[in-house]
Amino acid sequence: MFLLGPNARLDFANAPGRAMLEEGALLVERMGLLTATTPKLQRALRGALAVAEDGNEAGPLSLLASPPLRYSVRALPLMAGEGQATNALRSAKVAVYVRKISPADPLALEALARLYECTPGEVRVIDAVMKVDGMKALAQFLGLTQATVKTHLHNVFRKTHTSGQRELVKLIAGFAEPQQE
């Protein structure tokens, strides 16, 4: 967890947050600011922070770092501090929660669904693709007709810019960079 002041000033990091900064796979501290390790990650982080600074929750964002590790990021606005908090903590504007996630994590599916604007039916198919292979097996596993599964898969492939189940599994598992328009 990180508490940030204006312009991503790092006011506080708990022990796991400090360890994440030292690891340097996703986030680092530069000149007192919380910074992502790549320009693409930095743009996503800045966007989330801007949303949170405007008083809205941002996330979960699913971010891919190198080596292939996937993280979930949530940015929450903080109310003006009162009471006994230190000045640094009182001036914090945003709380950022970051954690590593696995493809089997429900949060990973939630983040993927938000990122690609998938319907609940499409999310069920994505989850099933991680568990079984082949159209007939997917249909049986989900209790749907093969035609329905094909329709959902076609929509998922279109939304994720993937061309088949193997490519979709790679994307879900975090071995491929998410595609956004």
Side-chain angles (χ1 to χ4, degrees):
M1 177 191 68
F2 305 95
L3 297 180
L4 306 179
N7 302 314
R9 183 189 69 233
L10 184 59
D11 288 343
F12 173 81
N14 64 3
R18 285 275 164 213
M20 184 174 286
L21 292 174
E22 289 174 17
E23 181 182 85
L26 181 73
L27 300 169
V28 294
E29 181 179 0
R30 286 194 186 117
M31 298 186 303
L33 304 177
L34 185 67
T35 307
T37 55
T38 69
K40 186 172 185 176
L41 294 175
Q42 182 68 8
R43 283 190 300 276
L45 178 63
R46 289 289 175 245
L49 295 178
V51 168
E53 285 179 1
D54 285 343
N56 300 302
E57 178 180 344
L61 301 174
S62 181
L63 301 177
L64 183 68
S66 224
L69 299 171
R70 193 169 289 279
Y71 295 85
S72 172
V73 178
R74 282 188 184 267
L76 302 169
L78 297 175
M79 299 306 212
E82 295 288 333
Q84 303 300 317
T86 66
N87 284 339
L89 296 182
R90 198 174 309 137
S91 68
K93 303 290 183 204
V94 177
V96 178
Y97 298 93
V98 182
R99 70 182 184 102
K100 290 181 186 175
I101 54 177
S102 75
D105 191 326
L107 187 56
L109 284 175
E110 179 185 338
L112 192 77
R114 283 188 184 190
L115 180 65
Y116 295 110
E117 299 178 356
C118 295
T119 66
E122 292 164 354
V123 172
R124 284 186 60 220
V125 169
I126 292 169
D127 184 45
V129 164
M130 294 295 291
K131 297 173 181 166
V132 298
D133 189 29
M135 190 62 62
K136 187 175 182 180
L138 281 169
Q140 288 175 340
F141 183 81
L142 293 167
L144 300 171
T145 66
Q146 288 187 37
T148 301
V149 173
K150 282 182 184 179
T151 299
H152 285 311
L153 274 176
H154 172 76
N155 291 335
V156 168
F157 295 154
R158 179 180 45 80
K159 290 177 180 181
T160 60
H161 305 283
T162 55
S163 59
Q165 289 183 38
R166 285 188 176 89
E167 198 174 318
L168 180 62
V169 168
K170 286 180 182 180
L171 175 69
I172 296 166
F175 293 110
E177 189 75 24
Q179 300 287 322
Q180 289 182 301
E181 290 187 22

